[in-house]
Amino acid sequence: MRSYYEASARERIIALLDPGTFHEFLPPQDRVVSPHLKQLDTPAAFDDGVIVGKGHLAGRPVLIAAQEGGFMGGAVGEVHGAKLTGLLARALDERPAAVLLIVESGGVRLHEANAGLIAVSEIMRAVLSLRGAGIPVLVLDGGQFGCFGGMGIVSRLCDAVIISEEGRLGLSGPEVIETTCGVEEFDSRDRALVWRTVGGKHRYLLGEAAQLVADDIDAFRAAAIAALDAKPDLSLEALEADHARLGERLERFGDCRDGLEIWSRLGIDTPERLPLLEAAQFIAATAERRA
Amino acid sequence: MDIHTLLDQLFPLNHEVKFDGCYFSGIGHTAKGDVAVIGTTDAAPIGVELAYRMAGEVLAIVRKFPRRPILLLVDTQGQRLSHRDELLGINGYMAHLAKCVELARKRGHRIIGLVYSEAVSGGFLATSLLADYCYALPEAKIRVMNLPSMARITKIPLERLEELSRASPVFAPGVENYLRMGAIHALWEGDLSACLLDALDAPQKGDVRSELGEAREGRKLARAVAEQVHHYTA
């Protein structure tokens, strides 16, 4: 068992794909760096915090990207974003079995905020075009920085989010909400509160994540292989069904103030024990209870 | 510009738009046919309910009025910042809205965005930035974050950011910066109804923002780097 949470972006790619099959596009040797960080006297990275390339998963060709949380929290700048858009455009031509996005990002990189925001919008449109062409896009989320901001929206545009208990998925990070609205709105240092608001287990129960896995790269790999045959469906009927589900969520849980209340309304006995359960136990304990 | 003045100027032939709090929707009549209008006022924070409501409106238009153009007039201070919105999965609601807009586009609806007052980060991403072409009034305000907050978070002195923002469009708030970077296609000035009629005929070319950003020298690397990744031989 290898921890996904502890691994770097590169280690995750190498361990997820079939051995020896990964080939990187624009590797660090090519030194394509952000031109904007230098003028702010901020260190740059030779891959701008994202690795993109191709490889095989269970013998099938995939394109893959991994954000490196260790560099500026995986935040999206001009070059970082363009690498992702370029990969998605390439997938339209190459038609791989799927595109895998190993997300770990605080969202838009403030040092180049406008470029980052526009880049996220371009990624959003590229993901939707690709899915419209029938190619599934799978998201893996289990890193130290979670997945927030624009990348939180991007993740939910994809076919499936595979998340671990340690993974977090949201829009505004807890620190951002606390800084803006005060600690009484969201105490970002209350780890248990953070986890039952944006953590993997809650996301899975709410239906925001398709699969919950243990913090183990092999578990992520197995889940990604199982999701390879996803059939993107962005039809009117599919979106109307999504709409009905999201409306029902607002009706059922709109007045809840804590994850525990939502889990209780889902009919789960003693919801307060859920955070303590291992992934497999958790899935068994909540079977048939997801929203 | 006040929304009522704006609607009168965009649709001199008449419009029927219903307001409910900071949300509105309806139709505007033009010489080129009816246009569906969806928008917000008062720098509305976009929370789960508002994103859900706008998505529902887009789906209803797709179902009932095939190919009718959709004009997004969203005035927003950004996504609603709250524990409750995060608990309910606001990013999922924003993504749902984005998917609905994409569905409309795919089924032949033109999507036009006009930033008439304010557009900020997540609220901008899930709405006007998804348009085929997004336009702005010259007095509109667009940003991710104001410079003092940015200085606090990046730990770069405010004076330095202010100085750099005079030369670089890359982080400072401003419609001009977004124009240079390709996200705003053009500014609408003078006869707004004529601007709208032109936009209703604009050729559909997919996402051209990185090309525009390069041509206008506001984003010099985005197109080229994407192209390199697209054709890289590993």
Side-chain angles (χ1 to χ4, degrees), chain A:
Chain A
M1 176 157 165
R2 288 167 292 183
S3 169
Y4 180 102
Y5 184 81
E6 302 287 344
S8 69
R10 197 167 293 278
E11 287 165 349
R12 284 176 193 149
I13 288 183
I14 300 297
L16 277 163
L17 295 178
D18 299 347
T21 64
F22 178 62
H23 295 280
E24 185 171 358
F25 309 143
L26 281 194
Q29 302 86 283
D30 289 352
R31 305 202 167 193
V32 178
V33 302
S34 164
H36 310 300
L37 297 176
K38 196 167 67 181
Q39 62 171 1
L40 295 168
D41 306 315
T42 301
F46 290 144
D47 57 14
D48 206 36
V50 66
I51 299 164
V52 296
K54 65 177 179 181
H56 285 86
L57 184 65
R60 297 167 71 181
V62 293
L63 293 186
I64 189 165
Q67 296 178 301
E68 175 53 64
F71 178 68
M72 309 199 82
V76 180
E78 180 172 355
V79 170
H80 183 120
K83 287 174 79 173
L84 288 166
T85 329
L87 188 79
L88 294 161
R90 183 177 180 129
L92 262 184
D93 288 348
E94 282 189 4
R95 302 196 63 87
V99 176
L100 270 54
L101 300 180
I102 300 179
V103 295
E104 183 166 10
S105 181
V108 169
R109 186 185 295 167
L110 288 178
H111 304 73
E112 38 189 303
N114 300 338
L117 188 73
I118 300 166
V120 169
S121 179
E122 288 168 337
I123 295 166
M124 287 171 65
R125 285 194 58 181
V127 164
L128 289 169
S129 293
L130 193 56
R131 292 192 65 209
I135 299 163
V137 185
L138 308 177
V139 169
L140 283 65
D141 176 10
Q144 305 189 24
F145 291 81
C147 178
F148 292 95
M151 288 308 295
I153 302 178
V154 168
S155 293
R156 290 294 290 118
L157 293 176
C158 300
D159 289 83
V161 174
I162 298 163
I163 199 166
S164 64
E165 180 182 358
E166 290 77 5
R168 281 151 291 146
L169 179 61
L171 185 53
S172 308
E175 296 82 6
V176 174
I177 296 177
E178 182 183 319
T179 308
T180 316
C181 309
V183 69
E184 56 287 347
E185 176 63 32
F186 202 159
D187 183 352
S188 67
R189 279 188 291 186
D190 183 342
R191 280 173 56 99
L193 173 70
V194 170
W195 253 258
R196 61 182 191 262
T197 306
V198 294
K201 284 178 174 169
H202 178 58
R203 289 293 171 239
Y204 172 76
L205 289 179
L206 212 50
E208 288 279 299
Q211 296 192 62
L212 182 83
V213 296
D215 175 36
D216 173 8
I217 299 185
D218 291 333
F220 272 95
R221 176 180 152 88
I225 292 170
L228 276 180
D229 290 313
K231 295 270 180 291
D233 186 358
L234 293 169
S235 65
L236 176 57
E237 293 70 25
L239 294 189
E240 283 177 337
D242 286 348
H243 195 71
R245 270 191 294 275
L246 290 170
E248 191 189 313
R249 188 191 295 172
L250 290 180
E251 271 181 28
R252 270 180 97 182
F253 310 123
D255 62 336
C256 290
R257 289 294 172 271
D258 196 292
L260 287 169
E261 278 178 72
I262 293 180
W263 305 345
S264 171
R265 274 189 207 177
L266 285 170
I268 296 165
D269 297 330
T270 53
E272 57 282 354
R273 80 202 148 103
L274 291 186
L276 305 172
L277 300 179
E278 299 283 338
Q281 297 172 310
F282 174 85
I283 289 164
T286 58
E288 313 291 319
R289 294 291 180 200
R290 296 170 69 203

Side-chain angles (χ1 to χ4, degrees), chain B residues 79-145:
Chain B
Q79 71 265 27
R80 189 162 65 195
L81 290 165
S82 83
H83 172 265
R84 173 178 174 272
D85 281 279
E86 294 300 325
L87 183 67
L88 292 169
I90 181 172
N91 56 309
Y93 285 84
M94 296 292 208
H96 174 60
L97 173 55
K99 288 181 215 171
C100 293
V101 172
E102 178 71 12
L103 169 78
R105 184 188 349 263
K106 280 231 155 188
R107 292 176 62 129
H109 298 256
R110 280 173 182 276
I111 315 289
I112 301 168
L114 175 63
V115 181
Y116 70 95
S117 178
E118 210 175 316
V120 183
S121 59
F124 191 24
L125 273 181
T127 60
S128 325
L129 269 182
L130 292 164
D132 306 337
Y133 298 111
C134 183
Y135 303 90
L137 300 184
E139 70 268 28
K141 295 183 171 65
I142 305 180
R143 67 174 183 277
V144 171
M145 191 179 271

Side-chain angles (χ1 to χ4, degrees), chain A residues 110 179, chain B residues 143-162 165 171-173:
Chain A
L110 288 178
T179 308
Chain B
R143 67 174 183 277
V144 171
M145 191 179 271
N146 61 34
L147 285 188
S149 304
M150 207 175 275
R152 204 173 59 234
I153 293 171
T154 61
K155 299 181 176 67
I156 295 165
L158 181 59
E159 301 70 40
R160 179 98 179 102
L161 288 182
E162 281 170 344
S165 68
F171 56 84

